[in-house]
Amino acid sequence: MAKVAIVGAGSVIFSMRLVRDFCVTPGLAGTTLALMDISEERLQRIYDLASRYVAETGARLRLEKTTHRREALEGSDFVINTVKVGGYAGMEAERAIAERHGYYRGIDDPVSDYYGGFAAYHQLAFFLEVAREMEAVCPDAWYLQVANPVFEGSTLVGRESKLKVVGFCHGFNEYEEIVRALELDPAGVEVQVAGFNHAIFLTRFRYRGEDAYPLLDEWIRSKAEAYWESPAYLYEPWATQMSPAAVEMYRLYGLFPIGDTVRSVSPWWWHRDLQAKRRWFPAGGPDSEVGWTFHLNRLQRGLETIRAAAANPEVSLTREFPPAPSGEAIVPFIDAVVNDKPARLVINIPNQGAIAGIPDDVFVEVAATVRGLRIEREPVDRLPRRLLLHVLLPRWLRMERVVQAFREGDRTSLFLALMDDPRSSTPQQAEGLIEEILAAPWNARLKEHYRAG
Amino acid sequence: MAKVAIVGAGSVIFSMRLVRDFCVTPGLAGTTLALMDISEERLQRIYDLASRYVAETGARLRLEKTTHRREALEGSDFVINTVKVGGYAGMEAERAIAERHGYYRGIDDPVSDYYGGFAAYHQLAFFLEVAREMEAVCPDAWYLQVANPVFEGSTLVGRESKLKVVGFCHGFNEYEEIVRALELDPAGVEVQVAGFNHAIFLTRFRYRGEDAYPLLDEWIRSKAEAYWESPAYLYEPWATQMSPAAVEMYRLYGLFPIGDTVRSVSPWWWHRDLQAKRRWFPAGGPDSEVGWTFHLNRLQRGLETIRAAAANPEVSLTREFPPAPSGEAIVPFIDAVVNDKPARLVINIPNQGAIAGIPDDVFVEVAATVRGLRIEREPVDRLPRRLLLHVLLPRWLRMERVVQAFREGDRTSLFLALMDDPRSSTPQQAEGLIEEILAAPWNARLKEHYRAG
């Protein structure tokens, strides 16, 4: 019987997805789920909700709760790291600072938010702290990277620790929107994606045994316009999967982008201001002031719903959260490892040749078959060299720079990286921003860290 | 007795350097030097000059001349490619076009001039043409890449042909200016450089057995200012080796840049206009309108001197060109191969692990010991990761993009690469430039080539 620890379990929406997945996975009956959070209040809430959910479903899941991380790690076989250090406040404050220096919507990766050469510090330092503790307490456990930045984080922990590291993101599921838009029978669809987290492309798309890219081409020719005029699309800033942006990226790079890829690695000149964004993301896109506010509101409503449910023991949780797989690959991964049962999953793992041209120790997001301790990477069907050179390698380089600056406390690297931002026009501008972000009260450790160089 | 062909031998200044090197290399007595050029007039001139030089020195060098490339290649053991297709005219015309579109001094690499995703076409296509002919006529011969772009050219030919390929550049010799400025005894100096052509750094600098970087630091602290105020420096736009630019690159990247590196891979914001350049290159630098005019004038004077010498058989050529090694590594390389005699040289060869983090088949410029058919790469003493991530890998990526666009005739790649130029502010600007360059009458083949994508 496995023990699984969730570090940062107070993220109630995410944790409930995991609890639900455990409850619908018969092979994992008897698992101990150790919920850990530094907030007593949040911890108690998720513990109560999870206990009710387990009771309602009749699942055999043992729940534990603790505010002591070490206690959660002890005896664990899997440790899920979902923590966002400091929440959203610092991120929004840094975005405002960056905007004052001429960087619309901030300087960090739009998807991984908490990020860049700056705030990434808090996340990366925390990831390593957890990894070091695991090496001491449960060295044979799997470290499951869920917190962003997944790409930088999993590569860093993979290189710096002796742990077995895998990164997870549910973004690849957005391929389902292609299936819906094209009105295909999901049972006949076969897909493969490859790239890095938030930079994956559809390297295989087959329908009933045949290449389905021509169907996509036909949709673009004859149906995209109508789709883009439908209210469900027009008023949903987060509907990026079939947006003009995704279609144009397909034209520019040769493969269809999947999920957050459309936000994260679309061309820089689409993101200069809200007007520029609107050409490719007519509703403003997720990362504009419009889309982000929309997101925070929706998040807030979700939290209110779940808090209301928590406050009222009469509410049926299985009605709120029907007992069906969430689409997260985490629990299926654990199931495949624990029960030595093959599962084809999209996960972030060391490249080891899966994508030609990427170093072996870089974490790539690819399809793989997991079974026990064996992870078999699927050969990538096709990857145009133009895409490799104009999307993947620049994104890889950005990751390496973040990791190098972090590891070496190298302030000059932060500066050089920022000068590569197309919105930097003078070194004074970049230096001014770095100064102000390092001087922020919540960044005292960061400022101390970036002394070198 | 070896046969060496020079393709493009009409480049009289360069060819005379080679002739001189052969004449002062006793081990190569008996070599046949096949001079080849498409211009009868230029060919006759270099043939006459070379014949006189050989006679004056009494060297045993057999000279041949031909306008038929195949004839020159037949039976050759080494083929030196020095050709600049179309000379300078197209390059200057394209620079003027680029300036009209907002790209000061053109869009190509400042050192390799004839270059970028555009004009590089003419060079790269020609390199492959020569390589294909060698595969048919003299498949065992060495292909020696001297024409620019050496980095792109040698990597392309190395990958696309079965030939033995080595690239050459004399730029690394500029480390001697460091030795002079620091007033060191050259005999006590030991240096190692590593990187790519026009992007090399001083990875070892020792004097009388000890690390000499502290001497360089001391020079920067106490003597640089006076050096920069000396007339010999102030009025020489090509004196870049000890310029404020080189010193600042050392601070930014951690190792001292050598030779053309200071021109080619210094930060983009130093090159936005003449005023920006003057901060780091007080005399304007080699690639400004000032420095380039200076260069063309000096080149012209050199040509006039040599033409006057050619026109007057009474002139002593050995007085004009004293019989001493030129500093080019080409003839020493041939000597080492032919006579199985070890020589430590700086050459461009497939990486094969010499620089960690660079793929094996990429041509790097490194120190190596050549002996017969064996080339032993020297382990690189140190290479800061910041330098790798902020100079070498971006330069590598630029090379890969040039080669990919060329190989696939991929116009979209040209566009995407140009959008990465910090001076591109809108896609319309980049598209407009591409349109106009492709439409130029001298680019008809190029336009035809870049149909794909």
Side-chain angles (χ1 to χ4, degrees), chain B residues 2 21 29-30 39 72 146 158 194 201 225 244 292 295 356 361 367 377 404 452:
Chain B
D21 285 342
S39 157
V146 173
F201 289 82
E225 290 290 343
W292 192 246
H295 171 66
D361 67 348
R377 291 149 183 82
Q404 179 270 336

Side-chain angles (χ1 to χ4, degrees), chain A residues 272 385-386 400 410 425, chain B residues 272 385-386 400 410 425:
Chain A
R272 222 164 352 188
R385 195 154 170 83
R386 188 207 290 160
E400 294 289 5
D410 186 342
S425 57
Chain B
R272 223 165 352 189
R385 195 155 170 82
R386 188 207 291 160
E400 294 289 5
D410 186 342
S425 57

Side-chain angles (χ1 to χ4, degrees), chain A residues 259-449:
Chain A
D260 299 298
T261 309
V262 185
R263 301 163 58 191
S264 181
V265 293
S266 39
W268 63 264
W269 58 97
W270 298 2
H271 298 279
R272 222 164 352 188
D273 51 35
L274 185 56
Q275 196 190 343
K277 278 185 186 275
R278 281 197 190 276
R279 171 156 182 208
W280 302 106
F281 305 92
D287 308 296
S288 65
E289 52 274 47
V290 180
W292 194 245
T293 307
F294 190 95
H295 171 66
L296 295 178
N297 287 341
R298 184 151 50 189
L299 211 62
Q300 189 56 36
R301 283 197 305 277
L303 274 174
E304 280 161 17
T305 306
I306 210 164
R307 282 177 189 163
N312 182 357
E314 307 299 310
V315 168
S316 159
L317 290 180
T318 45
R319 196 177 312 150
E320 291 288 340
F321 308 100
S326 70
E328 301 282 353
I330 301 163
V331 175
F333 174 83
I334 294 173
D335 191 23
V337 171
V338 169
N339 296 310
D340 202 30
K341 193 179 88 179
R344 181 176 186 260
L345 301 169
V346 173
I347 51 180
N348 292 265
I349 46 179
N351 185 41
Q352 302 289 7
I355 303 180
I358 304 291
D360 282 347
D361 67 348
V362 170
F363 274 58
V364 293
E365 186 163 307
V366 290
T369 297
V370 180
R371 179 175 182 163
L373 287 172
R374 292 188 305 287
I375 295 182
E376 203 174 304
R377 290 147 183 83
E378 228 167 72
V380 173
D381 276 16
R382 63 199 183 99
L383 198 74
R385 195 154 170 83
R386 188 207 290 160
L387 191 157
L388 182 74
L389 296 178
H390 288 280
V391 182
L392 294 188
L393 290 179
R395 181 64 188 87
W396 163 65
L397 192 54
R398 182 148 63 88
M399 178 279 287
E400 294 289 5
R401 288 170 171 184
V402 168
V403 169
Q404 179 269 336
F406 170 77
R407 287 193 60 223
E408 301 183 18
D410 186 342
R411 187 180 159 143
T412 301
S413 278
L414 295 184
F415 166 74
L416 291 170
L418 190 51
M419 286 308 292
D420 254 8
D421 186 309
R423 299 163 304 176
S424 293
S425 57
T426 67
Q428 292 73 26
Q429 179 193 9
E431 279 294 359
L433 173 59
I434 293 172
E435 277 294 330
E436 194 173 340
I437 288 188
L438 293 187
W442 59 87
N443 281 335
R445 273 179 70 193
L446 200 161
K447 185 174 183 176
E448 178 66 14
H449 182 72

Side-chain angles (χ1 to χ4, degrees), chain B residues 3 5 7 69-70 72-81 126-145 157 161-166:
Chain B
K3 178 179 175 185
V7 178
R69 191 171 66 215
R70 198 180 184 91
L73 300 190
E74 265 164 10
S76 278
D77 303 292
F78 300 88
V79 176
I80 303 172
N81 192 346
F126 180 75
F127 299 163
L128 279 188
E129 188 184 307
V130 172
R132 294 283 171 253
E133 196 166 35
M134 285 178 63
E135 288 180 316
V137 173
C138 52
D140 295 325
W142 290 81
Y143 173 90
L144 308 187
Q145 181 74 50
V157 176
S161 79
K162 293 183 192 71
L163 302 172
K164 300 187 290 276
V165 177
V166 181

Side-chain angles (χ1 to χ4, degrees), chain A residues 42-60:
Chain A
R42 289 152 64 95
L43 186 63
Q44 189 63 49
R45 182 183 298 131
I46 182 64
Y47 183 76
D48 290 345
L49 283 167
S51 304
R52 281 166 59 190
Y53 201 86
V54 169
E56 279 189 42
T57 55
R60 286 181 43 229

